[in-house]
Amino acid sequence: MTSNRHILIMLLIITALCHNCISAGHAADFDRIIIPRVKYGGGGDWYTGPTSMPNLLKQASERLNMPTQTENIAVSISDPELFRYPMLYLTGHGQVRFSDFEINTLLNYLDNGGFLWVNDSYGIDRFIRREMRRLYPDREFELLPADHAIFKMVYDFPEGLPKIHEHDGKPPAAYAIFDKGRMKILYTYESDIGDGLEDAGIHKVDTPEIREKAMQMALNLLVYVMMQ
Amino acid sequence: MIMHSLLRLFGYNLSPIRDIDSSAMTLAWGWAGLILLLIALLPLSWWVYRCEGKNISDKMRRQLLAIRVLWVILLAILMCGPVLIVSGYVPQRNRLAVMIDTSRSMSIKHREVSRLDQIKKLFDGGFIGRLEEKTGIYPEVFSFADNVSPVSRQEVEQFSLSPDGNQTDISNAVRNVVGNLGEGSLLGIIMISDGVSTTGDNPAMALANMRTPVHFVAPGQEGESADMALHLTRPPAQGYLNSSVRVRGEVSLHRVATSSVTVTVRRNGEFFTSTTADFASANEKAAFAFNVPCEEEGNFRFELEIPALENELTSENNQAGFLLKVVRERLNIMALSGRLSWDMKFIGNALLTDPNARTVHWARLRDNRWICARDLKPEAAQNNPDLHEDLKIADVLVLNSADYDMLKPLEEEIVRRVEAGTLGLLIIPSSKNFSELGYQGTQIEKLLPVSTSSETWRGTPGNLVLPSAETPYNFLRLIDDPIQNVEFFATLPRFEGIYEYGGLKPGSEVLVSSTVRSSSDTIPFMIRARAGLGNVVLISGGPLWPAGFRLVPSDRGFAPYSALVVNMCKWLANRREDAQVSIELASSRGYVGQGNNVRVWVMNSKNELQANAQVSLTITDERGGSTSLPCIETSEKGCYETAFVPAFRGLHRLEAEARYQGRELGRAKSEILIEMSTAEFDEPIVKTSLMTQLASDTGGIFATVDQAEKIIEAIDAEPGQKLESKSIDLRDSWLLLIILLALPMVEWYLRRIRGLS
């Protein structure tokens, strides 16, 4: 009789625990951040460096205690899901072209709190400037000085944007478009931070020190975006 | 009738029964007691009067036996306590009430004759006299509007009534009159009214079960004029500098054919703006709205007006006004984050849509350095910043995953300022519960609106539910139309999960609920608690940023979300003119003749709510006349209350003074705009259908003043009577006592003359 009662109590406890497991998730899952890459038209390789964003998000979680989801996701501007992501990553080596609808949608996204980071892997400059002029005809890219807050948010870069990957021997430069007092687009030119974020061994020339610099700069950018 | 005479012969008091309908006798000991008593008494009687062996005639024997048996039975019955229950009709005094509506709507004129003047004409024509003639009684006359008052015979003859009541409550008036009439047979109530009931219960519901016929006499509507009416919908009371407030209203038409009506707005007597109310075809009501930019601090009196028509039914409903207080609202919001999240980004961006808002966001990194963003301009990370300086000027503190060890150095100041009403607290959902954040057992925990005895994260997506279409909180009214507003909340992007807590603390209030159900009820999404004079809002579900940044299938864009955040923070800021004493008014607008409740909150120099203070309120009207009223302490600590009934329209200045043990604690000032109520003119037509229905429901009839004779004919003038029962103790009769004594004496006499012992 006593053992039957114990079994019954155990069953009740197990049932209750199962119920909790089903109905109650964990709160830490509810606001995880994903940074998708932009799947653009024009023929450029939007898919380059697939490990960059997962690595950045993993480090953001570990170093900054940010809730992140380390996935490599691509989204086109016309996708209604765009508005789920508060920051977009655009990279590649060639032609970038947005449709008129995409321009309008991107404008709406940026006006309502979104952010676009454009990483010049190489050869994107001409096209991205053209598309940005379509996006903000009355704005120009502003060169960020070395003392801008983005270079000292968490890690200090007294000389400004670091050089990560050498292409043409040109100096790295960070350009931004500001609107209503807020940075909406950051364009990292001739630096290729995205390369530095990729897994070790993909780019043999990127030493651990170089890769760490890239990660620190990307984390600075992420914190800046989160705080503005 | 015979029984009535017989009982009176025996001396029983039947009053007030005049006509016996039925009767029944009962015995205190019951019929069984009587039989037992007879069984005992009859042998005893036989033994006492036993046979003496003398010869007497049979006739004499039967006579003696009859007398003896009768006496024994009578005695036995009387011993059993006989009670006669008599039911019969009691005459009732007839009563008849005449109620005259003296509300302001009775001043509306039809062909130059006001409704009340039509009634005067009816009375001058001998209406009351004919009623008296028909019923044999003089009717009791009452006037009603705000209150019910008896009208003397002399006043009726002179008809010295004026239409000055600001509101009409037909249901309450009838109840009052019935209560005032007292005992009697109520032949009916004749209500002379236009049927406009502006307050109280719905007369159709309240009078539906009345047994007394209520007859209605309505003023005639011949030659009824056209009318236009202007109504304001919840006019704003407060605006913030460099922002704007929206004023909404409605214009209604009666017998007017127009496509639009111009509404002229004056500010402090000078032209401010004009707008139009555009009417769709066959529509008698049209809404209008306009913005008031708050560019200057101070109090502003706004008066709205629509043009008056020639021979309009009434021009009193062509104006409306409100008082707007513009305050310098440099809203300082401080946020403390235990980790970076998009929620804070959303809140910060929403707040900066208000040019008066200033934000400072401190976020702690994993290496214990802090990052700050002032007005969303990020700054470099730093070690050990001094947060006190920012907290000192903050009006609202937002906590986002803030661990207790972050708050500990600020805890005392946070609690003190929240309780003093100078800091509002907004807590947004965190990936850690309050236990993990270390709040349990702290002073911060005491400010929370929920019990943290249990905290369960429900990873169930859900939608928001606004509990009421008529929410009292302006910041929850994102869309003008209340129904659309509720729908708008329901269509906001779903949140991904929500905390379920051990319960709400006493005094907490659910501002926004959710569609996620717990075992017993839906889980609240936004909960408010009052901590001292301050407000705390807890959002238990999230994340919030999808609602802010993700486009919803709506053409409304993001503005409503921003408005929600900004206005909630302004409400949380809870600015007061005086930290020690503050005046709380239900509305910044009141009406002549109607009571206004004023609450005064009092704190001592330690910013603790003060009991047993002496609080007085001085009210000064525009003419300079002032009244001083004592405030009575309420059951809420530190809260004192009084009420005043303004006699004049215009701006009234209120000044509260609080003293404790002879020492002044502080003063507070406020203002209230008193207007003439236009409720009586909102719908100026005579409510014929309502009165016809009420008359029909109660067994009365409806007639216009010209047909008032129909009512006199319909009144039943029969003398009133009612069935009553009365208990009569049959032992209470001298005649019966005499019979009881006489019977043995008669027997004794008969025995003596026959030579018996």
Side-chain angles (χ1 to χ4, degrees):
Chain A
M1 189 69 182
T2 311
S3 65
N4 283 343
R5 200 166 57 201
H6 284 161
I7 289 166
L8 187 65
I9 290 167
M10 287 300 289
L11 281 172
L12 285 172
I13 290 168
I14 290 164
T15 310
L17 285 174
C18 286
H19 180 263
N20 270 343
C21 290
I22 292 162
S23 62
H26 193 268
D29 298 335
F30 88 103
D31 58 350
R32 287 181 181 275
I33 295 159
I34 306 171
I35 304 176
R37 61 179 56 243
V38 177
K39 199 161 92 180
Y40 51 82
D45 54 342
W46 54 266
Y47 41 81
T48 188
T51 56
S52 303
M53 283 306 108
N55 285 341
L56 172 63
L57 292 165
K58 187 172 177 230
Q59 290 300 310
S61 173
E62 287 176 6
R63 299 191 197 189
L64 302 175
N65 198 21
M66 275 174 63
T68 59
Q69 196 169 318
T70 54
E71 287 178 43
N72 179 36
I73 289 175
V75 63
S76 62
I77 301 289
S78 55
D79 190 336
E81 290 297 297
L82 179 80
F83 289 88
R84 287 191 59 187
Y85 310 108
M87 177 172 164
L88 305 174
Y89 175 64
L90 188 152
T91 190
H93 296 86
Q95 172 80 281
V96 178
R97 182 173 284 281
F98 298 132
S99 68
D100 288 346
F101 176 75
E102 285 176 327
I103 288 285
N104 284 335
T105 308
L106 187 58
L107 198 60
N108 197 3
Y109 167 81
L110 295 172
D111 278 351
N112 287 292
F115 187 87
L116 174 67
W117 173 25
V118 181
N119 176 64
D120 169 33
S121 270
Y122 186 61
I124 202 174
D125 186 65
R126 186 158 57 96
F127 308 110
I128 205 71
R129 286 181 185 275
R130 182 192 66 203
E131 295 307 301
M132 290 307 113
R133 268 194 297 276
R134 287 178 65 205
L135 197 63
Y136 288 106
D138 56 340
R139 305 261 174 212
E140 290 291 331
F141 272 131
E142 290 179 33
L143 180 66
L144 296 183
D147 62 350
H148 190 271
I150 205 166
F151 301 121
K152 48 192 174 186
M153 284 305 300
V154 184
Y155 301 101
D156 218 7
F157 289 92
E159 292 173 8
L161 190 70
K163 184 83 177 175
I164 304 300
H165 202 80
E166 188 64 66
H167 292 294
D168 283 345
K170 290 180 183 171
Y175 296 101
I177 288 184
F178 291 87
D179 186 39
K180 294 169 190 164
R182 193 168 68 81
M183 188 193 289
K184 293 189 171 172
I185 299 169
L186 179 73
Y187 171 38
T188 48
Y189 171 66
E190 279 292 330
S191 168
D192 204 352
I193 292 169
D195 270 10
L197 298 177
E198 287 196 74
D199 284 348
I202 291 181
H203 301 284
K204 306 287 183 201
V205 292
D206 292 348
T207 62
E209 292 75 24
I210 289 285
R211 291 181 61 247
E212 173 61 19
K213 267 190 181 177
M215 182 59 71
Q216 289 183 356
M217 186 59 225
L219 289 171
N220 266 10
L221 166 63
L222 190 53
V223 171
Y224 185 91
V225 172
M226 295 292 283
M227 291 295 284
Q228 71 157 5
Chain B
M1 190 54 108
I2 298 165
M3 187 172 181
H4 195 273
S5 306
L6 194 65
L7 288 170
R8 288 181 69 86
L9 178 69
F10 274 82
Y12 297 118
N13 179 17
L14 287 173
S15 176
I17 294 171
R18 285 195 184 166
D19 186 9
I20 293 174
D21 182 58
S22 62
S23 63
M25 196 179 85
T26 60
L27 298 169
W29 290 6
W31 291 103
L34 177 66
I35 292 163
L36 287 173
L37 207 59
L38 286 173
I39 291 169
L41 285 178
L42 284 172
L44 182 68
S45 165
W46 176 81
W47 182 75
V48 170
Y49 295 99
R50 59 189 176 279
C51 180
E52 293 179 14
K54 291 182 179 173
N55 284 331
I56 53 170
S57 65
D58 286 347
K59 187 182 171 187
M60 179 56 67
R61 183 175 288 114
R62 281 196 295 274
Q63 283 176 348
L64 287 174
L65 185 65
I67 289 169
R68 205 176 304 161
V69 169
L70 181 63
W71 184 80
V72 167
I73 290 172
L74 194 58
L75 184 68
I77 289 172
L78 291 180
M79 285 176 74
C80 286
V83 175
L84 187 68
I85 298 166
V86 180
S87 295
Y89 289 99
V90 176
Q92 286 266 294
R93 190 187 161 200
N94 279 341
R95 289 178 184 277
L96 178 65
V98 175
M99 298 171 64
I100 305 166
D101 186 348
T102 53
S103 63
R104 294 177 67 217
S105 63
M106 293 296 282
S107 66
I108 293 173
K109 290 182 177 175
H110 301 270
R111 281 193 184 155
E112 299 300 312
V113 182
S114 77
R115 292 173 181 175
L116 200 62
D117 284 343
Q118 291 186 45
I119 309 306
K120 182 177 186 308
K121 203 173 159 190
L122 175 70
F123 276 41
D124 289 346
F127 179 69
I128 296 290
R130 287 196 296 285
L131 272 176
E132 187 178 10
E133 208 172 278
K134 171 78 186 286
T135 58
I137 50 167
Y138 185 81
E140 294 180 53
V141 183
F142 299 86
S143 67
F144 73 98
D146 299 315
N147 301 301
V148 177
S149 314
V151 181
S152 69
R153 198 168 185 147
Q154 191 185 4
E155 284 172 315
V156 171
E157 282 163 9
Q158 294 172 350
F159 205 85
S160 52
L161 300 171
S162 54
D164 51 11
N166 286 313
Q167 52 189 359
T168 318
D169 184 351
I170 287 180
S171 315
N172 190 45
V174 171
R175 276 195 293 268
N176 263 338
V177 165
V178 171
N180 270 331
L181 288 173
E183 280 289 305
S185 171
L186 191 53
L187 296 179
I189 294 172
I190 299 170
M191 177 173 284
I192 304 169
S193 170
D194 54 12
V196 177
S197 189
T198 58
T199 185
D201 299 336
N202 180 356
M205 307 282 283
L207 305 187
N209 298 320
M210 265 198 78
R211 290 180 185 173
T212 307
V214 182
H215 309 280
F216 282 86
V217 180
Q221 306 176 66
E222 291 80 14
E224 186 176 284
S225 309
D227 187 69
M228 291 202 299
L230 173 70
H231 319 278
L232 282 175
T233 314
R234 297 178 183 274
Q238 188 161 286
Y240 302 104
L241 196 62
N242 296 329
S243 66
S244 65
V245 293
R246 191 150 179 84
V247 182
R248 289 179 291 128
E250 189 180 73
V251 176
S252 55
L253 305 178
H254 176 61
R255 293 191 174 195
V256 180
T258 183
S259 58
S260 75
V261 172
T262 304
V263 181
T264 308
V265 185
R266 282 194 301 276
R267 183 169 66 179
N268 291 346
E270 291 178 4
F271 176 81
F272 175 71
T273 187
S274 68
T275 183
T276 55
D278 297 316
F279 294 83
S281 61
N283 223 338
E284 292 190 332
K285 289 185 177 178
F288 66 88
F290 60 94
N291 286 330
V292 176
C294 304
E295 295 158 341
E296 198 183 337
E297 270 184 279
N299 288 310
F300 300 93
R301 185 172 172 177
F302 284 85
E303 287 158 319
L304 286 75
E305 192 175 26
I306 52 174
L309 305 168
E310 197 178 345
N311 295 324
E312 193 174 344
L313 208 54
T314 176
S315 58
E316 292 219 35
N317 54 7
N318 290 32
Q319 296 113 29
F322 66 95
L323 186 71
L324 179 70
K325 183 178 183 181
V326 177
V327 293
R328 187 177 186 78
E329 184 70 2
R330 196 180 173 85
L331 192 62
N332 290 309
I333 293 111
M334 181 181 183
L336 291 174
S337 292
R339 66 175 190 172
L340 300 173
S341 81
W342 291 108
D343 279 352
M344 273 315 304
K345 189 173 161 62
F346 158 54
I347 290 173
N349 275 278
L351 284 166
L352 288 191
T353 59
D354 186 307
N356 295 309
R358 298 285 177 270
T359 64
V360 56
H361 179 195
W362 285 99
R364 195 172 67 172
L365 298 174
R366 180 158 278 189
D367 60 5
N368 280 336
R369 285 187 300 159
W370 293 75
I371 302 173
C372 176
R374 294 183 187 278
D375 292 340
L376 300 187
K377 291 191 171 47
E379 297 170 8
Q382 54 184 294
N383 289 308
N384 303 319
D386 182 8
L387 304 178
H388 285 92
E389 286 302 311
D390 286 323
L391 182 61
K392 202 181 286 177
I393 58 163
D395 302 303
V396 178
L397 178 66
V398 183
L399 299 183
N400 166 41
S401 288
D403 293 306
Y404 176 67
D405 64 324
M406 286 170 63
L407 301 177
K408 197 174 177 184
L410 309 168
E411 182 182 26
E412 194 182 325
E413 189 174 352
I414 291 171
V415 173
R416 181 180 60 76
R417 291 203 42 216
V418 169
E419 289 182 344
T422 57
L423 181 74
L425 200 57
L426 172 64
I427 303 156
I428 62 175
S430 160
S431 55
K432 294 179 182 175
N433 61 33
F434 289 120
S435 174
E436 289 168 322
L437 292 170
Y439 285 16
Q440 285 187 335
T442 66
Q443 292 297 310
I444 299 283
E445 192 207 8
K446 290 180 183 166
L447 300 176
L448 300 177
V450 293
S451 161
T452 57
S453 58
S454 78
E455 304 171 87
T456 311
W457 174 258
R458 302 268 176 213
T460 316
N463 282 99
L464 307 192
V465 177
L466 200 60
S468 161
E470 287 298 332
T471 173
Y473 298 97
N474 273 319
F475 63 86
L476 294 175
R477 292 194 206 113
L478 303 181
I479 310 290
D480 285 351
D481 181 79
I483 304 299
Q484 283 184 25
N485 192 42
V486 171
E487 287 168 0
F488 184 69
F489 268 86
T491 55
L492 286 177
R494 290 163 79 79
F495 54 81
E496 292 173 19
I498 191 165
Y499 275 107
E500 183 185 359
Y501 293 100
L504 300 188
K505 285 186 185 168
S508 296
E509 182 184 3
V510 177
L511 301 179
V512 180
S513 190
S514 76
T515 52
V516 181
R517 293 194 71 85
S518 66
S519 53
S520 57
D521 207 350
T522 52
I523 300 175
F525 181 85
M526 186 188 283
I527 313 153
R528 174 240 174 163
R530 192 179 175 105
L533 293 178
N535 284 303
V536 179
V537 166
L538 171 76
I539 297 174
S540 57
L544 306 177
W545 66 264
F549 290 117
R550 189 179 169 192
L551 275 183
V552 288
S554 157
D555 60 354
R556 298 186 196 281
F558 297 95
Y561 309 115
S562 302
L564 172 68
V565 173
V566 173
N567 291 332
M568 179 171 63
C569 284
K570 284 177 177 172
W571 172 76
L572 276 167
N574 195 20
R575 292 278 170 84
R576 289 174 190 281
E577 290 180 16
D578 188 307
Q580 262 61 52
V581 181
S582 57
I583 295 175
E584 189 177 293
L585 283 166
S587 166
S588 64
R589 198 164 69 139
Y591 297 106
V592 171
Q594 292 181 21
N596 292 275
N597 278 333
V598 183
R599 301 177 96 193
V600 181
W601 291 87
V602 179
M603 301 185 81
N604 59 23
S605 56
K606 294 176 188 168
N607 286 329
E608 295 162 342
L609 291 163
Q610 181 67 60
N612 302 320
Q614 295 83 50
V615 182
S616 63
L617 182 75
T618 305
I619 303 141
T620 310
D621 61 38
E622 273 188 344
R623 303 172 182 205
S626 71
T627 315
S628 194
L629 300 168
C631 297
I632 311 297
E633 192 164 5
T634 68
S635 56
E636 289 181 82
K637 189 181 179 190
C639 180
Y640 301 79
E641 195 172 43
T642 190
F644 80 100
V645 181
F648 306 107
R649 61 192 302 179
L651 197 66
H652 286 55
R653 295 178 199 286
L654 313 179
E655 184 171 1
E657 184 194 22
R659 305 184 79 83
Y660 181 66
Q661 294 180 341
R663 187 168 42 85
E664 185 178 308
L665 288 175
R667 289 168 182 267
K669 289 179 182 174
S670 188
E671 288 173 334
I672 184 169
L673 180 68
I674 302 299
E675 294 223 300
M676 291 304 289
S677 169
T678 58
E680 285 290 318
F681 303 105
D682 283 350
E683 291 183 71
I685 55 167
V686 175
K687 297 288 183 68
T688 308
S689 57
L690 174 70
M691 290 188 283
T692 307
Q693 184 204 330
L694 293 177
S696 164
D697 289 349
T698 57
I701 59 169
F702 168 80
T704 60
V705 278
D706 301 333
Q707 308 158 334
E709 292 302 319
K710 275 166 53 180
I711 289 176
I712 298 176
E713 287 165 21
I715 287 175
D716 181 9
E718 289 293 313
Q721 56 181 14
K722 68 172 181 179
L723 193 64
E724 274 197 9
S725 294
K726 186 168 185 177
S727 298
I728 300 167
D729 188 346
L730 292 176
R731 291 171 300 191
D732 189 17
S733 166
W734 283 105
L735 185 58
L736 205 60
L737 180 66
I738 290 166
I739 292 170
L740 202 62
L741 293 172
L743 283 173
M745 288 171 68
V746 170
E747 188 192 357
W748 176 79
Y749 173 74
L750 290 173
R751 290 176 72 92
R752 292 297 296 173
I753 60 170
R754 295 287 183 267
L756 298 173
S757 58

